[in-house]
Amino acid sequence: MTIPDVRVYEHLMPAPPTGQSPVPVQANPRAYERPAAQAAPATPATAPQSTPPRGAGGFDPEAARRDVPVLHRTVNGHPLVWLDNGATTQKPRQVVEALAAYYSAANSNIHRGAHTMAREATETYEAGRAAVADFLGAESPDTVVFTRGTTEAINLVAQTWGRANIGPGDEILVPRLEHHSNIVPWQLLAKEKRARLIPVPLLADGSIDQAAFADLLSFRTQLVAVSQASNVLGTVPPVKQMAALAHRYGAKVLVDGAQAVAHFPVDVRELGADFYVFSGHKLFAPTGIGALYGRPELLEGMPPWQGGGNMIDQVDFTGSTYAPVPHRFEAGTGHISGVAGLLSAINWLTGFDREAVAAYEQGLLAYAEQALGAVPGLEILGSAPGRIAVLTFTLAGHDPADIAHRLDRDGIAVRAGHHCAQPSLRHYGVESAARASLALYNTGEDVDRLVASLLRMTQGAT
Ligand code: PLP
């Protein structure tokens, strides 16, 4: 890896390359295993029928693939097929280099130091905040609070805004398709405040029952917490309409964007989100960094959450005063290098035509749905229109954990289990399923490898 010989904040702030890698990425960058050429070929038992999308809609996935070194390694003797993007995405070399550059050239704590490197690190950190605000269409950088990720951001809202605004008899509406991160914090809050957590039912295709949602809303509803894309069913609910309806009752709306941000452009103000949360690691950025967006007047009115350094104005044993928003919610030393990585990831992703990326992913989803249809006994959970490219499935006679294990032997990474969304699986009467979740760097060939491997499984091949 080449460490840029520029000051890190200069390296991070310019406009990004548009997915074109100036440095050719070496195949199999670390020789973990046998090179792909020596691997047993994973030939399809029956070739999928339709043509895989390639470069459709003006986006070429190879441009993204070239930037992501890990996609060029092998696993168990096969070229890696990474279909576990719902759990976490792989990192472009620009992000990896931003982290290395930060620690090699510019490591410093922020906001306190009087020296050059403290100032540079602060500039990088605040440039990251501005980039997130821009990425989300937020009013200003001051509406962005850095967190460890989606989970921490939701807990922050529950324990600050929630504790201050939810009381006995109040209601919190949460659709059944939510990730546990968007259920349990509200359950804890409801228990503490003697409020009610009310599940919003789903329809057979995995979309939210909008008629039931409208019926459940009332002036007791204080909050609607809904994801913009489901991590299991792929459902993309009509969040804008739901928010508009919720606002008529004076309810606030928290939108979990964990699975949305990597797939399509987001505009929190257009959406009508009062709070919006996401995790960097699902957006090609490092783990341990994420963000909470809050409408300015809501953040202003919220009490602090964690106490400590960075979040105060004055401290005395008689009492303390607090820093302005958003610093009031960022106690302690933040994940500065994570912000540098997040900034780089946002620059990388927005260097592509995002509408074209979304169109490409939709083409890939349609291709994958059709190709998986050729696998006897395979059932995809969720068929709501406009889904993101998430394919959660069961395969008759095969345990999901066994499916994931067998695919792994062919170098294909999928996830199996409850996907931290047990109520949404139970909607389909299952406790566990396998999930292939796609990103912009996946291709029709990846889907073909998945289908071929599943077909061999159904044919009893070992
Ligand atoms: N919400 C959704 C929809 C998710 O898919 C996930 C993770 O899979 C989360 C929340 C939790 O994200 P994190 O573990 O990064 O906090």
Side-chain angles (χ1 to χ4, degrees):
M1 179 190 308
T2 315
I3 308 300
D5 61 350
V6 291
R7 289 188 304 166
V8 69
Y9 76 98
E10 288 173 339
H11 166 64
L12 295 171
M13 288 174 67
T18 52
Q20 300 295 332
S21 171
V23 182
V25 174
Q26 299 296 312
N28 196 14
R30 288 176 58 191
Y32 295 102
E33 297 166 24
R34 284 184 295 148
Q38 295 171 22
T43 8
T46 304
Q49 295 304 302
S50 68
T51 317
R54 181 172 271 286
F59 169 70
D60 179 6
E62 293 303 329
R65 291 182 73 77
R66 275 196 294 275
D67 282 343
V68 182
V70 81
L71 297 178
H72 303 275
R73 67 164 282 184
T74 59
V75 169
N76 295 325
H78 299 277
L80 169 66
V81 174
W82 183 257
L83 298 178
D84 198 14
N85 296 288
T88 199
T89 52
Q90 296 300 349
K91 315 307 172 199
R93 67 175 173 76
Q94 289 89 335
V95 171
V96 180
E97 286 176 2
L99 293 184
Y102 173 77
Y103 282 120
S104 307
N107 176 50
S108 170
N109 211 328
I110 54 169
H111 293 149
R112 282 186 286 247
H115 53 75
T116 301
M117 284 171 61
R119 186 169 44 76
E120 288 177 1
T122 305
E123 283 178 24
T124 296
Y125 196 77
E126 294 307 324
R129 199 189 301 280
V132 170
D134 201 41
F135 182 69
L136 297 179
E139 291 86 343
S140 82
D142 289 348
T143 61
V144 173
V145 179
F146 285 122
T147 65
R148 280 194 297 131
T150 305
T151 305
E152 188 174 71
I154 294 174
N155 278 281
L156 191 162
V157 175
Q159 291 174 36
T160 56
W161 179 87
R163 277 196 178 140
N165 290 281
I166 304 268
D170 285 344
E171 294 180 351
I172 302 167
L173 300 192
V174 175
R176 281 194 180 275
L177 52 60
E178 295 305 316
H179 190 279
H180 298 163
S181 296
N182 202 21
I183 298 175
V184 182
W186 308 120
Q187 216 158 32
L188 292 169
L189 178 70
K191 191 165 180 199
E192 179 186 321
K193 293 292 185 174
R194 289 185 288 118
R196 288 181 68 213
L197 178 66
I198 301 182
V200 182
L202 306 181
L203 298 175
D205 67 357
S207 54
I208 298 170
D209 183 337
Q210 292 300 319
F213 173 64
D215 283 349
L216 288 168
L217 274 171
S218 77
F219 288 103
R220 286 186 302 276
T221 312
Q222 292 299 325
L223 180 76
V224 174
V226 57
S227 60
Q228 204 184 3
S230 152
N231 67 315
V232 170
L233 309 177
T235 310
V236 176
V239 170
K240 185 177 171 181
Q241 289 92 304
M242 291 174 74
L245 200 54
H247 287 154
R248 281 200 225 159
Y249 292 89
K252 300 292 179 279
V253 178
L254 177 139
V255 183
D256 172 352
Q259 294 293 336
V261 283
H263 295 290
F264 49 80
V266 171
D267 186 323
V268 289
R269 281 184 286 174
E270 151 88 5
L271 213 51
D274 296 295
F275 299 105
Y276 191 97
V277 297
F278 75 90
S279 301
H281 72 99
K282 295 184 198 284
L283 186 69
F284 316 104
T287 51
I289 188 68
L292 159 69
Y293 158 83
R295 272 205 296 119
E297 60 275 27
L298 292 176
L299 289 181
E300 283 298 339
M302 278 159 50
W305 179 31
Q306 296 176 328
N310 278 331
M311 53 76 71
I312 52 86
D313 174 28
Q314 294 288 325
V315 176
D316 194 90
F317 280 100
T318 55
S320 301
T321 53
Y322 305 114
V325 168
H327 309 289
R328 188 193 305 166
F329 303 109
E330 293 178 357
T333 298
H335 188 1
I336 307 164
S337 63
V339 173
L342 178 59
L343 171 57
S344 179
I346 289 175
N347 281 342
W348 180 74
L349 182 61
T350 55
F352 297 106
D353 174 345
R354 298 219 53 209
E355 301 290 349
V357 167
Y360 169 74
E361 288 186 14
Q362 285 300 304
L364 194 57
L365 171 65
Y367 177 72
E369 283 176 327
Q370 191 192 10
L372 287 169
V375 181
L378 187 144
E379 194 189 332
I380 296 175
L381 309 185
S383 55
R387 298 156 64 230
I388 55 165
V390 166
L391 298 134
T392 298
F393 60 90
T394 54
L395 186 58
H398 294 268
D399 176 64
D402 187 45
I403 295 171
H405 181 67
R406 300 272 292 271
L407 291 173
D408 180 55
R409 288 198 328 220
D410 286 344
I412 303 166
V414 303
R415 191 149 291 249
H418 57 55
H419 310 291
C420 298
Q422 288 176 322
S424 59
L425 283 186
R426 286 181 191 141
H427 178 65
Y428 288 93
V430 294
E431 290 292 327
S432 173
R435 179 186 71 183
S437 47
L438 284 62
L440 77 171
Y441 44 57
N442 288 119
T443 62
E445 286 79 11
D446 291 343
V447 173
D448 293 348
R449 291 260 313 272
L450 170 69
V451 171
S453 194
L454 289 168
L455 280 172
R456 278 199 303 281
M457 224 177 282
T458 60
Q459 290 162 2
T462 52

